[in-house]
Every structure is written in C-alpha cells, then in structure tokens.
Amino acid sequence: MKLPIPAEGQFRAPAHHERVTSKIGLALAITFTTCFVTGLLSHLIQHPPGWFSWPSRPVGLYRVTQGLHVIAGVASIPLLLAKLWSVYPKLFGRPLVRSLPHALERLSILVLSGAAFFELTTGLLNVAQNYPWGFYFPQVHYAVAWLAIGSILVHVAVKLPIIRRALSRTTVEEPPAKGLSRRGFLMTTGLAAGVAVVATAGATVPFLRGVSGLSWKTGKGTQGLPVNRTAAAAGVTWSPAWRLSVVTPRGTTTFSLDELRALPQTTAELPIACVEGWSQSAIWRGISLPTLLKAVGAAPGTALRVSSSERGGLYGVSVLPGEHTADELTLLALELNGEVLAPDHGFPCRIIAPNRPGVLQTKWVTKLEAL
Ligand SMILES: Nc1nc2c(c(=O)[nH]1)N[C@H]1C(S)=C(S)[C@@H](COP(=O)(O)O)O[C@H]1N2
Ligand SMILES: [Mo]
C-alpha cells in the first residue's frame, strides 16, 4: 500500500504560516546567539589564548553569563520544537531538489537542525549531570556550536527576504482554519518556554529556588552548598602529615594546616558558579592570595598553577592568572559558612576566586607553583 504524501499546499493550519515561523525563528536566533556568546566566553576563560584576559570583577559576572547560557538553552528547546512543527510541511515540497542553490539550502537546514538538536540535548544532559556518551562533552559541545551558529547565519541570510516580508506586514488576513490560531500557537510556545525556564532557573536564580521543581541542584548540601565531586569520589584522604607547598623562583615554602591558620585571614562572600548552570553564594574565610604571595616573598600578581591531591580527575589542576592572584578576594579558603571546610568542599584548603567558573575553584589544594 502506498502512503499518501500530502502536498505542501495542503497544510493550511495557522501554525504553518510564515509569520509564525519567522517570529519563532527570531526568538530562536536570540536564544542561540545568547548561548553562543556566553558559551564562547566560558570556553575562553577555561582555555585562555594569549590575547584573552578575564577580570576578577564584578564578582558575580560569570555567574550571570553562565546562568544565561543555560537559561537560554532551556528556553530554546520548546522554541526549536515549535519551529520544526511550523516548517515541517516544507519537507513535503516536491521535487526534493529544484536547483543547486535549493539543494544547498536544504542541506544547510539539515546541518542547522542537527547541530541545534545536538547542542540542546547534550547541554541538557550535561546540566542534569548525565554523561551517557563516550566523548569529552565540553570539546564536542564547543565544536558543534560553531557549526550551529554558522548554519544559522547562512539560514538567516538566505531567508532574509521571506523574514522581512513575514514580519513587516502589520495585519495579515488570517485564513479560516481549524485548530489553534497563529496567536494561540505563538502564545502556547512562549508559555512552554517560560515554564521550562521557571522550572529550572532556580539552580542559579536565588528567588526561583523554591519554585523550580526541576532545578538540578538545590541549596541543600553539605554546609549549605551543593557538592559537585565528593572527596570519596575523588579518592582524596587527609593525614596530619599534609603540607601545602608554594613553589616560587626563590624556592619552596611549606605550610602545615596550623601555619596556614596563623596567617592573616580574609572573609568574602563569593559564589560557586558551575559550568553546568547551578550557582550559589557562600561565606568563605581563608588566606587572600596577595597575603600568601607576600608571605612567600613572591611578586604581587604572580600567576600560579594550582594542584590538588586528586589523582586522575580532569579538574585536579587549574591556573590562577595574575588578575586573580592580585585580587584581595581570591582566597585559599579554610572555612565555609562559619565552619572548617568539609572534606567534600575541599578540606584542608581550596581555591575560591571572584568571577570564575566553578570548575576552576580547585578543591584539596596541595601545591601552588609560580608560573
Ligand atoms: N580537585 C577538584 N576540585 C574541583 C572539582 C574536582 O572535580 N576536583 N570540581 C570543580 C567543580 S566542577 C565545581 S562546580 C566546584 C564545586 O565545588 P563544591 O563541590 O565545593 O560545591 O569544585 C571544583 N573543584
Ligand atoms: Mo562545576
């Protein structure tokens, strides 16, 4: 039996109108651009090329950019589904290929949909802390982002005449049709995007914490702060023989925990802003990096390599650039929310610096080396 293939002209539901497609497309262009710019920024902070430097202030800027990254990504999911719904009758356009430009356009849409779909699913699984794949998420998510943004640019350029036409007309005669009106479809799409955001944004927006049923991290956690990797999972243990070594061109200085406690202490309220989209502020207390550098006779603003006692993990080592080691608020923290750091939060000491991705806030620090 042959399945009847509907002709393109047979789809008369208002949701398939080019004005609907264009409006949702515009919203998607905004959310995807937001994702791209904030994602690129996050990538540059974590893998800084020579020309790039990232300031240590304002303290919570990265918290905002990464929060936006995940919120815009979550909002994109219903938008993308609505957009695909709106345009799918075009898939039935025959002949499949009319000309070379037409073939290229179809191919670019295939790449665009594939890349967009890939970014949203991998991103969502990442914030849900599920890693059901064999590749290294950040690298692949980053590479495909270029594919997505590139094909969006091509797509917008090709469709510009249609987008202009569809969005410029103020009143369009709405054909009598069954089902949701155009406005109804757009409102439903907007509502779905809003619900998705509210249900998850509490992971980073404090006043939404109570409302976000699906937010992946809550304020509950050891010492009032979520834990990303526990001491047990990282395989770290501590013994009184533990020492911190600080290596500078002038030699190596070691500190016992008691010696660190005897140095002048600084208190700061700083957020952990995880690349996975959750963030939370806490009160930290410890030795500020300018104080520590002074104690070992190193120049202010010396960049440092930070190593932890964790073996084999991906996040056991980080680099603190000069902008951060010169900032009074960058701490080698010994306390969190008024208590000695719990093992899961990095006991005996961890880095907490203003305006940085959580993944660079190294726990269980054992060595600092001047670069
Ligand atoms: N040594 C080490 N430090 C680490 C990690 C890690 O896996 N190993 N995870 C990082 C990540 S991804 C985050 S978000 C923060 C979370 O800190 P918390 O568990 O104290 O909230 O720690 C960072 N520091
Ligand atoms: Mo993280």
Side-chain angles (χ1 to χ4, degrees), residues 155-219:
H155 184 64
V156 171
V158 169
K159 299 286 184 190
L160 208 54
I162 300 180
I163 299 172
R164 277 236 181 88
R165 179 179 70 206
L167 293 182
S168 64
R169 243 181 286 161
T170 38
T171 50
V172 202
E173 50 339 313
E174 185 146 332
K178 292 187 216 85
L180 271 177
S181 69
R182 285 208 300 267
R183 168 168 298 208
F185 184 74
L186 284 172
M187 276 168 55
T188 308
T189 303
L191 193 70
V195 166
V197 166
V198 170
T200 50
T204 189
V205 184
F207 77 89
L208 284 177
R209 202 146 265 151
V211 210
S212 291
L214 294 178
S215 109
W216 34 86
K217 287 274 181 187
T218 64

Short mmCIF file of all heavy atoms in Angstrom, two decimals, residues 155-219:
data_model
loop_
_atom_site.label_atom_id
_atom_site.label_comp_id
_atom_site.label_asym_id
_atom_site.label_seq_id
_atom_site.Cartn_x
_atom_site.Cartn_y
_atom_site.Cartn_z
N HIS A 155 21.40 30.45 7.09
CA HIS A 155 19.95 30.30 7.01
C HIS A 155 19.25 31.66 7.03
O HIS A 155 18.38 31.94 6.21
CB HIS A 155 19.48 29.43 8.18
CG HIS A 155 18.03 29.11 8.18
ND1 HIS A 155 17.44 28.36 7.19
CD2 HIS A 155 17.04 29.44 9.05
CE1 HIS A 155 16.14 28.24 7.45
NE2 HIS A 155 15.88 28.89 8.57
N VAL A 156 19.65 32.52 7.96
CA VAL A 156 19.03 33.84 8.07
C VAL A 156 19.30 34.65 6.81
O VAL A 156 18.40 35.31 6.27
CB VAL A 156 19.52 34.59 9.33
CG1 VAL A 156 19.06 36.05 9.32
CG2 VAL A 156 19.02 33.90 10.59
N ALA A 157 20.54 34.57 6.31
CA ALA A 157 20.88 35.33 5.10
C ALA A 157 20.01 34.88 3.92
O ALA A 157 19.45 35.70 3.20
CB ALA A 157 22.36 35.15 4.78
N VAL A 158 19.86 33.55 3.78
CA VAL A 158 19.08 33.02 2.66
C VAL A 158 17.60 33.41 2.79
O VAL A 158 16.93 33.73 1.82
CB VAL A 158 19.24 31.48 2.59
CG1 VAL A 158 18.24 30.87 1.63
CG2 VAL A 158 20.66 31.11 2.20
N LYS A 159 17.10 33.37 4.02
CA LYS A 159 15.66 33.59 4.22
C LYS A 159 15.29 35.04 4.46
O LYS A 159 14.12 35.34 4.69
CB LYS A 159 15.19 32.76 5.44
CG LYS A 159 15.36 31.27 5.28
CD LYS A 159 14.34 30.71 4.32
CE LYS A 159 14.48 29.19 4.24
NZ LYS A 159 13.67 28.62 3.17
N LEU A 160 16.28 35.93 4.43
CA LEU A 160 16.02 37.32 4.80
C LEU A 160 14.81 37.94 4.08
O LEU A 160 13.97 38.58 4.72
CB LEU A 160 17.28 38.17 4.60
CG LEU A 160 17.37 39.38 5.51
CD1 LEU A 160 17.21 38.99 6.97
CD2 LEU A 160 18.70 40.10 5.30
N PRO A 161 14.68 37.73 2.76
CA PRO A 161 13.51 38.32 2.08
C PRO A 161 12.19 37.82 2.67
O PRO A 161 11.27 38.62 2.89
CB PRO A 161 13.67 37.85 0.63
CG PRO A 161 15.11 37.49 0.49
CD PRO A 161 15.58 37.04 1.83
N ILE A 162 12.12 36.52 2.94
CA ILE A 162 10.87 35.97 3.50
C ILE A 162 10.64 36.51 4.91
O ILE A 162 9.53 36.89 5.27
CB ILE A 162 10.94 34.42 3.55
CG1 ILE A 162 11.13 33.86 2.14
CG2 ILE A 162 9.68 33.85 4.20
CD1 ILE A 162 11.19 32.36 2.07
N ILE A 163 11.73 36.55 5.72
CA ILE A 163 11.60 37.03 7.10
C ILE A 163 11.10 38.47 7.09
O ILE A 163 10.16 38.83 7.81
CB ILE A 163 12.96 36.94 7.84
CG1 ILE A 163 13.44 35.49 7.90
CG2 ILE A 163 12.85 37.52 9.25
CD1 ILE A 163 14.86 35.31 8.42
N ARG A 164 11.71 39.30 6.24
CA ARG A 164 11.30 40.71 6.11
C ARG A 164 9.81 40.79 5.80
O ARG A 164 9.06 41.49 6.45
CB ARG A 164 12.06 41.35 4.95
CG ARG A 164 13.42 41.83 5.32
CD ARG A 164 13.54 43.32 4.99
NE ARG A 164 14.85 43.83 5.31
CZ ARG A 164 15.88 43.80 4.45
NH1 ARG A 164 15.72 43.33 3.23
NH2 ARG A 164 17.05 44.26 4.83
N ARG A 165 9.42 40.04 4.74
CA ARG A 165 8.03 40.10 4.29
C ARG A 165 7.09 39.67 5.41
O ARG A 165 6.11 40.34 5.71
CB ARG A 165 7.88 39.15 3.09
CG ARG A 165 6.47 39.09 2.51
CD ARG A 165 6.43 38.15 1.34
NE ARG A 165 6.58 36.76 1.73
CZ ARG A 165 7.06 35.80 0.94
NH1 ARG A 165 7.47 36.09 -0.28
NH2 ARG A 165 7.13 34.56 1.37
N ALA A 166 7.48 38.56 6.08
CA ALA A 166 6.58 37.97 7.08
C ALA A 166 6.44 38.87 8.30
O ALA A 166 5.38 38.95 8.90
CB ALA A 166 7.09 36.60 7.50
N LEU A 167 7.53 39.54 8.67
CA LEU A 167 7.48 40.32 9.92
C LEU A 167 7.05 41.77 9.70
O LEU A 167 6.64 42.43 10.64
CB LEU A 167 8.85 40.30 10.61
CG LEU A 167 9.30 38.94 11.15
CD1 LEU A 167 10.63 39.06 11.85
CD2 LEU A 167 8.25 38.33 12.08
N SER A 168 7.14 42.26 8.45
CA SER A 168 6.84 43.68 8.25
C SER A 168 5.34 43.94 8.16
O SER A 168 4.86 44.95 8.63
CB SER A 168 7.55 44.20 7.00
OG SER A 168 7.03 43.53 5.88
N ARG A 169 4.62 43.02 7.55
CA ARG A 169 3.17 43.23 7.43
C ARG A 169 2.55 43.33 8.81
O ARG A 169 2.78 42.48 9.67
CB ARG A 169 2.56 42.04 6.68
CG ARG A 169 1.92 42.47 5.37
CD ARG A 169 1.32 41.29 4.68
NE ARG A 169 2.34 40.42 4.09
CZ ARG A 169 2.11 39.15 3.75
NH1 ARG A 169 0.94 38.60 4.01
NH2 ARG A 169 3.06 38.43 3.20
N THR A 170 1.76 44.36 9.03
CA THR A 170 1.18 44.51 10.37
C THR A 170 -0.11 43.72 10.49
O THR A 170 -0.35 43.06 11.48
CB THR A 170 0.94 46.00 10.69
OG1 THR A 170 0.49 46.64 9.51
CG2 THR A 170 2.21 46.63 11.22
N THR A 171 -0.94 43.74 9.46
CA THR A 171 -2.16 42.94 9.51
C THR A 171 -2.15 41.98 8.33
O THR A 171 -1.93 42.38 7.20
CB THR A 171 -3.44 43.81 9.42
OG1 THR A 171 -3.29 44.69 8.31
CG2 THR A 171 -3.67 44.59 10.70
N VAL A 172 -2.31 40.71 8.66
CA VAL A 172 -2.38 39.71 7.60
C VAL A 172 -3.75 39.07 7.72
O VAL A 172 -4.20 38.76 8.82
CB VAL A 172 -1.29 38.62 7.78
CG1 VAL A 172 -1.01 37.94 6.46
CG2 VAL A 172 -0.04 39.24 8.36
N GLU A 173 -4.36 38.87 6.56
CA GLU A 173 -5.67 38.21 6.60
C GLU A 173 -5.45 36.78 7.06
O GLU A 173 -4.63 36.06 6.51
CB GLU A 173 -6.39 38.28 5.26
CG GLU A 173 -5.74 37.90 3.93
CD GLU A 173 -4.22 37.89 3.81
OE1 GLU A 173 -3.55 38.87 4.23
OE2 GLU A 173 -3.72 36.90 3.28
N GLU A 174 -6.13 36.42 8.12
CA GLU A 174 -5.96 35.05 8.64
C GLU A 174 -6.97 34.15 7.95
O GLU A 174 -8.17 34.41 8.02
CB GLU A 174 -6.16 35.04 10.15
CG GLU A 174 -5.88 33.69 10.74
CD GLU A 174 -5.27 33.79 12.14
OE1 GLU A 174 -4.60 34.78 12.45
OE2 GLU A 174 -5.49 32.87 12.90
N PRO A 175 -6.50 33.11 7.24
CA PRO A 175 -7.46 32.24 6.55
C PRO A 175 -8.27 31.46 7.58
O PRO A 175 -7.74 31.09 8.62
CB PRO A 175 -6.55 31.30 5.75
CG PRO A 175 -5.24 31.33 6.46
CD PRO A 175 -5.12 32.65 7.14
N PRO A 176 -9.54 31.27 7.30
CA PRO A 176 -10.34 30.49 8.24
C PRO A 176 -9.77 29.08 8.30
O PRO A 176 -9.56 28.45 7.26
CB PRO A 176 -11.74 30.50 7.62
CG PRO A 176 -11.52 30.83 6.17
CD PRO A 176 -10.26 31.62 6.07
N ALA A 177 -9.44 28.63 9.48
CA ALA A 177 -8.82 27.31 9.57
C ALA A 177 -9.17 26.66 10.89
O ALA A 177 -9.53 27.33 11.86
CB ALA A 177 -7.31 27.44 9.46
N LYS A 178 -9.02 25.35 10.90
CA LYS A 178 -9.27 24.61 12.14
C LYS A 178 -8.02 24.67 13.02
O LYS A 178 -6.94 24.95 12.53
CB LYS A 178 -9.59 23.14 11.82
CG LYS A 178 -10.91 22.95 11.09
CD LYS A 178 -11.21 21.46 10.98
CE LYS A 178 -11.89 21.11 9.67
NZ LYS A 178 -10.98 20.88 8.54
N GLY A 179 -8.19 24.38 14.28
CA GLY A 179 -7.03 24.31 15.18
C GLY A 179 -6.67 25.67 15.76
O GLY A 179 -7.41 26.65 15.62
N LEU A 180 -5.51 25.70 16.43
CA LEU A 180 -5.03 26.91 17.10
C LEU A 180 -4.84 28.05 16.11
O LEU A 180 -4.34 27.84 15.01
CB LEU A 180 -3.67 26.64 17.75
CG LEU A 180 -3.64 26.10 19.18
CD1 LEU A 180 -2.20 25.84 19.58
CD2 LEU A 180 -4.28 27.09 20.14
N SER A 181 -5.19 29.24 16.52
CA SER A 181 -4.90 30.41 15.70
C SER A 181 -3.40 30.66 15.75
O SER A 181 -2.69 30.09 16.57
CB SER A 181 -5.65 31.62 16.22
OG SER A 181 -5.10 31.99 17.48
N ARG A 182 -2.92 31.55 14.88
CA ARG A 182 -1.50 31.88 14.90
C ARG A 182 -1.08 32.40 16.26
O ARG A 182 -0.09 31.99 16.84
CB ARG A 182 -1.20 32.93 13.84
CG ARG A 182 -1.21 32.38 12.44
CD ARG A 182 -0.28 33.19 11.56
NE ARG A 182 -0.65 34.58 11.49
CZ ARG A 182 -1.44 35.08 10.53
NH1 ARG A 182 -1.93 34.29 9.61
NH2 ARG A 182 -1.73 36.36 10.50
N ARG A 183 -1.89 33.35 16.75
CA ARG A 183 -1.58 33.94 18.05
C ARG A 183 -1.59 32.87 19.15
O ARG A 183 -0.72 32.85 20.01
CB ARG A 183 -2.60 35.04 18.35
CG ARG A 183 -2.53 35.52 19.78
CD ARG A 183 -3.33 36.77 19.95
NE ARG A 183 -2.77 37.82 19.10
CZ ARG A 183 -2.88 39.11 19.39
NH1 ARG A 183 -3.54 39.48 20.46
NH2 ARG A 183 -2.35 40.02 18.61
N GLY A 184 -2.58 31.97 19.07
CA GLY A 184 -2.68 30.91 20.06
C GLY A 184 -1.44 30.02 20.05
O GLY A 184 -0.91 29.66 21.09
N PHE A 185 -0.97 29.70 18.85
CA PHE A 185 0.22 28.83 18.73
C PHE A 185 1.45 29.54 19.30
O PHE A 185 2.23 28.95 20.04
CB PHE A 185 0.46 28.47 17.25
CG PHE A 185 1.59 27.51 17.06
CD1 PHE A 185 1.45 26.16 17.38
CD2 PHE A 185 2.82 27.95 16.57
CE1 PHE A 185 2.50 25.27 17.21
CE2 PHE A 185 3.87 27.07 16.41
CZ PHE A 185 3.71 25.72 16.72
N LEU A 186 1.59 30.84 18.97
CA LEU A 186 2.74 31.59 19.48
C LEU A 186 2.69 31.71 21.00
O LEU A 186 3.70 31.57 21.68
CB LEU A 186 2.77 33.00 18.86
CG LEU A 186 3.25 33.07 17.41
CD1 LEU A 186 3.04 34.46 16.84
CD2 LEU A 186 4.71 32.67 17.31
N MET A 187 1.46 31.93 21.53
CA MET A 187 1.36 32.07 22.97
C MET A 187 1.66 30.76 23.69
O MET A 187 2.30 30.74 24.73
CB MET A 187 -0.02 32.63 23.36
CG MET A 187 -0.02 34.16 23.27
SD MET A 187 -1.64 34.93 23.37
CE MET A 187 -2.27 34.29 24.89
N THR A 188 1.18 29.67 23.12
CA THR A 188 1.47 28.36 23.70
C THR A 188 2.97 28.10 23.71
O THR A 188 3.54 27.61 24.69
CB THR A 188 0.77 27.24 22.89
OG1 THR A 188 -0.60 27.60 22.77
CG2 THR A 188 0.90 25.90 23.56
N THR A 189 3.63 28.46 22.60
CA THR A 189 5.09 28.26 22.50
C THR A 189 5.81 29.10 23.56
O THR A 189 6.69 28.61 24.28
CB THR A 189 5.58 28.68 21.10
OG1 THR A 189 4.86 27.92 20.14
CG2 THR A 189 7.07 28.42 20.95
N GLY A 190 5.39 30.36 23.67
CA GLY A 190 6.01 31.26 24.67
C GLY A 190 5.80 30.73 26.07
O GLY A 190 6.71 30.74 26.91
N LEU A 191 4.59 30.23 26.33
CA LEU A 191 4.27 29.71 27.65
C LEU A 191 5.14 28.49 27.97
O LEU A 191 5.70 28.36 29.06
CB LEU A 191 2.79 29.32 27.68
CG LEU A 191 2.22 29.05 29.06
CD1 LEU A 191 2.13 30.37 29.84
CD2 LEU A 191 0.83 28.42 28.96
N ALA A 192 5.29 27.60 26.98
CA ALA A 192 6.12 26.40 27.18
C ALA A 192 7.55 26.79 27.50
O ALA A 192 8.19 26.23 28.41
CB ALA A 192 6.07 25.51 25.94
N ALA A 193 8.08 27.80 26.77
CA ALA A 193 9.45 28.25 27.03
C ALA A 193 9.54 28.84 28.44
O ALA A 193 10.49 28.57 29.18
CB ALA A 193 9.87 29.28 25.98
N GLY A 194 8.52 29.63 28.82
CA GLY A 194 8.52 30.24 30.16
C GLY A 194 8.48 29.19 31.26
O GLY A 194 9.22 29.28 32.24
N VAL A 195 7.64 28.19 31.09
CA VAL A 195 7.53 27.13 32.10
C VAL A 195 8.85 26.38 32.22
O VAL A 195 9.34 26.11 33.32
CB VAL A 195 6.36 26.17 31.76
CG1 VAL A 195 6.45 24.90 32.60
CG2 VAL A 195 5.03 26.86 31.97
N ALA A 196 9.47 26.08 31.08
CA ALA A 196 10.75 25.36 31.10
C ALA A 196 11.80 26.16 31.86
O ALA A 196 12.57 25.60 32.65
CB ALA A 196 11.21 25.08 29.67
N VAL A 197 11.82 27.48 31.64
CA VAL A 197 12.81 28.32 32.32
C VAL A 197 12.53 28.37 33.82
O VAL A 197 13.43 28.14 34.64
CB VAL A 197 12.82 29.75 31.71
CG1 VAL A 197 13.57 30.70 32.63
CG2 VAL A 197 13.46 29.72 30.34
N VAL A 198 11.27 28.65 34.18
CA VAL A 198 10.95 28.77 35.60
C VAL A 198 11.20 27.44 36.34
O VAL A 198 11.66 27.43 37.48
CB VAL A 198 9.49 29.25 35.81
CG1 VAL A 198 9.07 29.16 37.26
CG2 VAL A 198 9.35 30.69 35.31
N ALA A 199 10.95 26.33 35.64
CA ALA A 199 11.11 25.03 36.28
C ALA A 199 12.58 24.69 36.56
O ALA A 199 12.88 23.83 37.37
CB ALA A 199 10.49 23.93 35.42
N THR A 200 13.50 25.38 35.90
CA THR A 200 14.90 25.00 36.04
C THR A 200 15.80 26.13 36.54
O THR A 200 16.86 25.87 37.11
CB THR A 200 15.47 24.52 34.68
OG1 THR A 200 15.15 25.49 33.69
CG2 THR A 200 14.88 23.18 34.28
N ALA A 201 15.39 27.39 36.35
CA ALA A 201 16.31 28.51 36.62
C ALA A 201 16.65 28.67 38.10
O ALA A 201 17.62 29.35 38.43
CB ALA A 201 15.73 29.81 36.08
N GLY A 202 15.88 28.04 38.98
CA GLY A 202 16.18 28.12 40.40
C GLY A 202 17.56 27.58 40.73
O GLY A 202 18.11 27.86 41.80
N ALA A 203 18.14 26.82 39.80
CA ALA A 203 19.50 26.32 40.01
C ALA A 203 20.50 27.46 40.10
O ALA A 203 21.59 27.30 40.63
CB ALA A 203 19.90 25.36 38.90
N THR A 204 20.12 28.62 39.58
CA THR A 204 21.07 29.73 39.60
C THR A 204 20.45 31.04 40.07
O THR A 204 21.14 31.92 40.55
CB THR A 204 21.76 29.87 38.21
OG1 THR A 204 22.82 30.81 38.33
CG2 THR A 204 20.80 30.33 37.14
N VAL A 205 19.12 31.19 39.94
CA VAL A 205 18.44 32.43 40.37
C VAL A 205 17.85 32.20 41.76
O VAL A 205 16.89 31.45 41.89
CB VAL A 205 17.33 32.82 39.37
CG1 VAL A 205 16.70 34.14 39.78
CG2 VAL A 205 17.87 32.88 37.95
N PRO A 206 18.43 32.83 42.81
CA PRO A 206 18.04 32.51 44.18
C PRO A 206 16.53 32.58 44.44
O PRO A 206 15.98 31.66 45.03
CB PRO A 206 18.78 33.55 45.00
CG PRO A 206 19.98 33.91 44.18
CD PRO A 206 19.54 33.81 42.76
N PHE A 207 15.82 33.64 43.95
CA PHE A 207 14.41 33.75 44.34
C PHE A 207 13.52 32.72 43.65
O PHE A 207 12.38 32.55 44.00
CB PHE A 207 13.88 35.18 44.16
CG PHE A 207 13.59 35.55 42.74
CD1 PHE A 207 12.33 35.31 42.19
CD2 PHE A 207 14.55 36.16 41.97
CE1 PHE A 207 12.05 35.66 40.88
CE2 PHE A 207 14.29 36.52 40.66
CZ PHE A 207 13.04 36.27 40.12
N LEU A 208 14.05 32.02 42.65
CA LEU A 208 13.27 30.98 41.98
C LEU A 208 13.51 29.59 42.59
O LEU A 208 12.90 28.61 42.18
CB LEU A 208 13.60 30.93 40.49
CG LEU A 208 13.00 32.03 39.63
CD1 LEU A 208 13.47 31.90 38.19
CD2 LEU A 208 11.47 31.99 39.68
N ARG A 209 14.42 29.55 43.57
CA ARG A 209 14.82 28.25 44.11
C ARG A 209 13.63 27.43 44.59
O ARG A 209 13.54 26.24 44.32
CB ARG A 209 15.82 28.46 45.26
CG ARG A 209 16.67 27.26 45.54
CD ARG A 209 18.05 27.67 46.00
NE ARG A 209 18.99 27.68 44.90
CZ ARG A 209 20.05 28.47 44.83
NH1 ARG A 209 20.30 29.33 45.78
NH2 ARG A 209 20.84 28.42 43.79
N GLY A 210 12.69 28.11 45.28
CA GLY A 210 11.55 27.39 45.82
C GLY A 210 10.56 26.91 44.76
O GLY A 210 9.80 25.98 44.99
N VAL A 211 10.56 27.55 43.58
CA VAL A 211 9.57 27.26 42.55
C VAL A 211 10.07 26.23 41.55
O VAL A 211 9.29 25.55 40.88
CB VAL A 211 9.24 28.54 41.73
CG1 VAL A 211 7.82 28.50 41.22
CG2 VAL A 211 9.51 29.81 42.53
N SER A 212 11.38 26.14 41.41
CA SER A 212 11.94 25.33 40.34
C SER A 212 11.97 23.86 40.70
O SER A 212 12.95 23.35 41.23
CB SER A 212 13.36 25.80 40.01
OG SER A 212 13.32 27.06 39.40
N GLY A 213 10.88 23.18 40.39
CA GLY A 213 10.77 21.77 40.73
C GLY A 213 11.85 20.92 40.09
O GLY A 213 12.28 19.91 40.62
N LEU A 214 12.31 21.34 38.91
CA LEU A 214 13.25 20.51 38.17
C LEU A 214 14.69 20.98 38.30
O LEU A 214 15.57 20.45 37.63
CB LEU A 214 12.88 20.50 36.68
CG LEU A 214 11.55 19.84 36.32
CD1 LEU A 214 11.29 19.95 34.83
CD2 LEU A 214 11.55 18.37 36.73
N SER A 215 14.93 22.01 39.12
CA SER A 215 16.29 22.51 39.16
C SER A 215 17.21 21.41 39.69
O SER A 215 16.88 20.68 40.60
CB SER A 215 16.37 23.79 40.00
OG SER A 215 17.01 23.57 41.20
N TRP A 216 18.38 21.28 39.04
CA TRP A 216 19.21 20.09 39.25
C TRP A 216 20.06 20.16 40.50
O TRP A 216 20.64 19.17 40.92
CB TRP A 216 20.08 19.82 38.04
CG TRP A 216 20.50 21.09 37.38
CD1 TRP A 216 21.56 21.85 37.68
CD2 TRP A 216 19.80 21.75 36.33
NE1 TRP A 216 21.59 22.95 36.90
CE2 TRP A 216 20.53 22.93 36.05
CE3 TRP A 216 18.64 21.48 35.60
CZ2 TRP A 216 20.12 23.83 35.07
CZ3 TRP A 216 18.26 22.39 34.62
CH2 TRP A 216 18.99 23.53 34.36
N LYS A 217 20.22 21.36 41.08
CA LYS A 217 20.95 21.44 42.34
C LYS A 217 20.13 22.33 43.26
O LYS A 217 19.57 23.32 42.83
CB LYS A 217 22.32 22.06 42.14
CG LYS A 217 23.31 21.15 41.45
CD LYS A 217 24.03 20.26 42.43
CE LYS A 217 25.02 19.40 41.66
NZ LYS A 217 25.65 18.38 42.45
N THR A 218 20.11 22.01 44.52
CA THR A 218 19.34 22.82 45.46
C THR A 218 20.28 23.47 46.44
O THR A 218 21.49 23.22 46.43
CB THR A 218 18.36 21.94 46.24
OG1 THR A 218 19.13 21.05 47.03
CG2 THR A 218 17.44 21.19 45.32
N GLY A 219 19.73 24.34 47.29
CA GLY A 219 20.53 24.98 48.32
C GLY A 219 20.95 23.97 49.37
O GLY A 219 21.84 24.23 50.18
#
